[in-house]
């Protein structure tokens, strides 16, 4: 967006305006989805992705829900898949979908909000103090589909609150816009809110700017001690921070021997750019290291819906036997590999747990987003095909690979800790939630 010319900007606006008109027409001809009335007191908001199909266990909360009385909790899943699940579709689960009809009145409210904010930014007096590219990007983000999806989510959760007896909302806290809007809804409705920071934070990362007082949760639960320390330092006494632990807690049982599988698992994040960068690096490696017998098991992130990218990778895998585009169960791919290339995907934690040698892809960005959150000398970093060739060619023999495995230390105790239900109960009582 930031590099396009005036004509391309105009086309983009026309495209977004056409979508707005189509959405309005759709809301007129289709039936509004009514959310179920309930007397439940605790609302959990979770996520449905392609990696946790309906009917499987919740990938985010697990034991946390056991602290509450089952008769008092209700769980809504934000549907990130292309499947259009309706409420009561499976095992009494309820869904928040960006495609559900929220009614003509709410659609008009969203359009008004978008245009009001657009003109507010457009009329800024001191534009010169902003980076021009960032300024243009903000203007276009206002009309993007993701913005509208978040606003639709806002109206759906607002309706859930109005049709229930909710006293507490619990949701994941990773820094997304929809999380802030839900915290703001809680504030407006005088409902207690808890944000569960379920993956380790980076050194200087904050989840919500502390100046956004009406967009902050009442409590933040952390998954590890390091993140708790970062958040406590930033928020001071503004928010109560409790380290309750994580479902990802584990201890590694080291093996004295292992089978050489000659497979490297590749798990990029859910971005087309990053997926292509890592793919090109592997393509160059295969071209320049034809004698290396290592095969790559390439997994596209389940939330990435890029049909053209899938086609490109599939065609490449059909031509190159050393490149496997995988749609298998993730656990099966882990068991088939002894090396993993990753960047920001938290899926690497399960790989590390199963003793795969982790190789972090550090691209041209200045911000490191390694979810392992361990010191640099405890994992390996590559920037390009040359780095990858140098490292992988060292890992050709069983003896050498075993030696590198021994160099990988067990997780620092300040990273993941076991879920502590006593601390959860203590935090709820301290804040008068239960």
């Amino acid at each position: 967006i930031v590099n396009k010319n005036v004509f391309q900007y105009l086309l983009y606006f026309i495209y977004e305006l056409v979508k707005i008109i189509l959405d309005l027409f759709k809301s007129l001809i289709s039936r509004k989805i009514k959310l179920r009335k309930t007397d439940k007191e605790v609302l959990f908001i979770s996520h449905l992705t392609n990696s946790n199909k309906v009917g499987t266990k919740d990938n985010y909360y697990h034991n946390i829900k056991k602290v509450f009385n089952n008769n008092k909790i209700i769980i809504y899943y934000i549907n990130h898949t292309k499947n259009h699940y309706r409420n009561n579709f499976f095992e009494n689960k309820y869904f928040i979908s960006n495609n559900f009809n929220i009614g003509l009145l709410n659609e008009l409210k969203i359009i008004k909000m978008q245009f009001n904010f657009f003109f507010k930014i457009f009329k800024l007096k001191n534009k010169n103090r902003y980076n021009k590219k960032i300024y243009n990007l903000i203007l276009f983000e206002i009309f993007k589909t993701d913005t509208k999806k978040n606003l639709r989510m806002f109206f759906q959760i607002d309706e859930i609150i109005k049709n229930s007896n909710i006293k507490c909302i619990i949701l994941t806290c990773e820094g997304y816009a929809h999380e802030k809007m839900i915290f703001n809804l809680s504030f407006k409705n005088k409902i207690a809110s808890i944000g569960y920071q379920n993956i380790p934070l980076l050194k200087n990362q904050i989840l919500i700017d502390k100046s956004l007082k009406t967009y902050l949760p009442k409590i933040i639960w952390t998954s590890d001690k390091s993140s708790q320390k970062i958040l406590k330092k930033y928020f001071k006494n503004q928010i109560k921070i409790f380290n309750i632990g994580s479902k990802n807690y584990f201890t590694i049982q080291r093996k004295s021997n292992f089978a050489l599988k000659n497979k490297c698992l590749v798990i990029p994040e859910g971005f087309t750019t990053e997926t292509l960068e890592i793919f090109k690096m592997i393509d160059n490696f295969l071209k320049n290291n034809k004698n290396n017998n290592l095969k790559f098991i390439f997994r596209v992130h389940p939330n990435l819906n890029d049909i053209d990218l899938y086609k490109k990778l599939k065609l490449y895998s059909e031509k190159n036997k050393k490149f496997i585009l995988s749609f298998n169960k993730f656990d099966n791919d882990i068991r088939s590999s002894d090396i993993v290339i990753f960047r920001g995907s938290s899926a690497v934690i399960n790989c590390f747990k199963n003793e795969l040698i982790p190789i972090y892809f550090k691209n041209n960005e200045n911000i490191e987003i390694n979810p392992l959150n361990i010191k640099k000398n405890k994992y390996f970093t590559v920037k390009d095909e040359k780095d990858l060739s140098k490292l992988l060619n060292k890992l050709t023999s069983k003896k050498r690979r075993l030696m590198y495995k021994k160099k990988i230390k067990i997780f620092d105790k300040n990273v993941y800790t076991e879920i502590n239900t006593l601390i959860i109960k203590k935090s709820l009582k301290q804040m008068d939630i239960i």
Side-chain angles (χ1 to χ4, degrees):
I1 291 172
V2 295
N3 295 317
K4 298 192 183 304
N5 58 42
V6 176
F7 177 70
Q8 288 170 315
Y9 280 141
L10 182 62
L11 285 178
Y12 183 88
F13 270 119
I14 292 169
Y15 172 71
E16 292 300 328
L17 286 170
V18 169
K19 284 202 293 185
I20 287 171
I21 295 166
L22 287 173
D23 283 340
L24 284 174
F25 180 71
K26 184 180 176 182
S27 66
L28 282 170
I29 62 171
S30 58
R31 182 173 60 88
K32 181 184 176 183
I33 300 299
K34 290 184 179 180
L35 296 168
R36 184 189 174 193
K37 291 185 179 182
T38 176
D39 59 353
K40 307 292 185 182
E41 294 181 359
V42 180
L43 170 63
F44 277 89
I45 296 176
S46 190
H47 301 271
L48 180 74
T49 67
N50 290 322
S51 59
N52 65 320
K53 297 290 186 183
V54 181
T56 63
K57 61 184 179 181
D58 189 288
N59 282 351
Y60 295 88
Y61 302 112
H62 289 262
N63 295 342
I64 295 172
K65 291 182 289 186
K66 292 180 180 179
V67 172
F68 300 88
N69 185 332
N70 278 336
N71 295 323
K72 291 186 177 182
I73 68 172
I74 186 169
I75 306 167
Y76 269 86
Y77 290 81
I78 297 173
N79 186 4
H80 299 281
T81 72
K82 289 184 177 180
N83 298 320
H84 301 301
Y85 297 113
R86 292 179 181 272
N87 294 338
N88 251 349
F89 179 81
F90 192 96
E91 288 189 0
N92 215 28
K93 285 185 170 65
Y94 305 100
F95 302 97
I96 298 166
S97 172
N98 304 315
N99 297 310
F100 278 8
N101 184 358
I102 59 171
L104 179 62
L105 182 61
N106 286 334
E107 289 287 354
L108 289 170
K109 284 181 181 177
I110 288 174
I111 293 168
K112 184 182 177 182
M113 290 166 77
Q114 288 176 298
F115 274 97
N116 282 348
F117 193 65
F118 176 85
F119 287 115
K120 183 178 179 180
I121 300 296
F122 189 76
K123 292 177 182 178
L124 280 175
K125 293 180 180 179
N126 301 321
K127 293 179 186 177
N128 294 331
R129 68 191 181 104
Y130 299 104
N131 179 295
K132 189 178 178 181
K133 287 185 176 183
I134 294 174
Y135 175 80
N136 289 336
L137 186 61
I138 291 170
L139 287 175
F140 281 93
E141 285 287 335
I142 294 166
F143 290 102
K144 277 186 73 176
T145 304
D146 287 343
T147 303
K148 177 169 278 192
K149 285 179 177 180
N150 284 333
L151 290 168
R152 280 180 171 167
M153 201 182 302
F154 173 88
F155 282 104
Q156 287 180 67
I157 294 170
D158 187 41
E159 191 171 337
I160 293 169
I161 293 170
K162 288 175 181 175
N163 287 282
S164 64
N165 188 35
I166 300 298
K167 295 178 181 177
C168 177
I169 298 179
I170 300 171
L171 63 149
T172 53
C173 190
E174 298 176 278
Y176 289 109
H178 74 267
E179 295 166 352
K180 298 178 181 70
M181 290 196 297
I182 296 169
F183 293 139
N184 182 248
L185 265 177
S186 303
F187 178 84
K188 288 178 178 177
N189 288 278
K190 297 180 179 179
I191 295 171
S193 59
I194 300 172
Y196 178 40
Q197 169 268 315
N198 56 307
I199 54 175
L201 296 178
L202 307 178
K203 185 178 179 182
N204 298 312
Q205 182 184 0
I206 60 165
L207 300 170
I208 309 167
D209 193 301
K210 60 186 174 186
S211 65
L212 300 172
K213 294 181 181 179
T214 63
Y215 292 83
L216 297 173
K218 193 170 184 179
I219 294 175
I220 291 181
W221 286 337
T222 68
S223 59
D224 59 281
K225 291 179 181 178
S226 298
S227 298
Q228 183 189 32
K229 187 177 179 181
I230 292 168
L231 294 175
K232 274 191 170 184
K233 184 179 178 181
Y234 178 75
F235 287 111
K236 294 185 168 59
N237 297 320
Q238 196 171 0
I239 299 177
K240 293 288 184 181
I241 315 290
F242 297 91
N243 175 38
I244 66 163
S246 170
K247 68 179 180 64
N248 291 320
Y249 169 77
F250 62 87
T251 55
I252 301 176
Q253 298 296 323
R254 295 293 171 189
K255 299 173 186 176
S256 58
N257 204 349
F258 69 100
L260 193 64
K261 295 153 189 169
N262 272 331
K263 287 192 178 76
C264 177
L265 182 58
V266 186
I267 47 172
E269 274 199 287
F271 303 105
T272 299
T273 49
E274 181 181 311
T275 306
L276 281 171
E277 278 183 294
I278 294 178
F279 165 69
K280 286 176 183 177
M281 179 176 69
I282 291 167
D283 178 37
N284 289 330
F285 173 84
L286 291 172
K287 286 176 181 175
N288 297 322
N289 297 271
K290 293 182 179 180
N291 293 328
N292 194 310
N293 294 322
L294 191 69
K295 291 183 179 180
F296 294 88
I297 301 175
F298 199 98
R299 294 184 67 91
V300 177
H301 195 281
N303 289 348
L304 182 59
N305 297 311
D306 190 326
I307 296 171
D308 291 334
L309 178 62
Y310 271 102
K311 286 181 180 177
K312 181 177 181 177
L313 295 173
K314 188 178 179 182
L315 184 64
Y316 184 86
S317 66
E318 289 171 356
K319 292 180 178 179
N320 196 322
K321 292 181 179 179
K322 290 184 179 180
F323 184 91
I324 304 161
L325 181 61
S326 176
F327 298 95
N328 297 328
K329 287 183 178 180
F330 185 50
D331 288 346
N332 291 346
D333 284 342
I334 290 176
R335 284 192 288 269
S336 300
S337 311
D338 41 24
I339 303 170
V340 59
I341 297 173
F342 70 100
R343 186 159 190 271
S345 176
S346 58
V348 73
I349 293 159
N350 280 334
C351 299
F352 193 86
K353 178 181 176 180
N354 285 275
E355 296 191 73
L356 272 65
I357 298 172
I359 298 175
Y360 178 73
F361 172 62
K362 187 177 177 63
N363 63 6
N364 294 325
E365 291 183 16
N366 294 321
I367 300 173
E368 185 180 297
I369 57 171
N370 172 30
L372 288 181
N373 203 17
I374 50 180
K375 294 177 182 178
K376 288 185 178 181
N377 64 346
K378 293 183 183 177
Y379 63 93
F380 308 100
T381 302
V382 295
K383 293 180 181 178
D384 50 33
E385 181 270 328
K386 289 182 180 178
D387 287 345
L388 186 64
S389 296
K390 188 177 179 181
L391 180 56
L392 290 182
N393 284 323
K394 287 181 180 178
L395 300 173
T396 52
S397 70
K398 181 177 178 179
K399 184 179 178 181
R400 185 68 67 90
R401 212 167 290 185
L402 182 60
M403 181 186 75
Y404 271 74
K405 275 180 178 282
K406 287 179 179 178
K407 285 185 177 182
I408 302 169
K409 303 294 183 182
I410 295 177
F411 259 44
D412 189 280
K413 290 180 181 178
N414 283 331
V415 185
Y416 287 127
T417 53
E418 196 169 4
I419 286 181
N420 191 324
T421 54
L422 291 176
I423 293 178
I424 295 173
K425 289 177 182 177
K426 180 184 175 181
S427 68
L428 294 171
K429 286 178 181 178
Q430 193 171 326
M431 304 306 290
D432 294 323
I433 294 173
I434 60 169

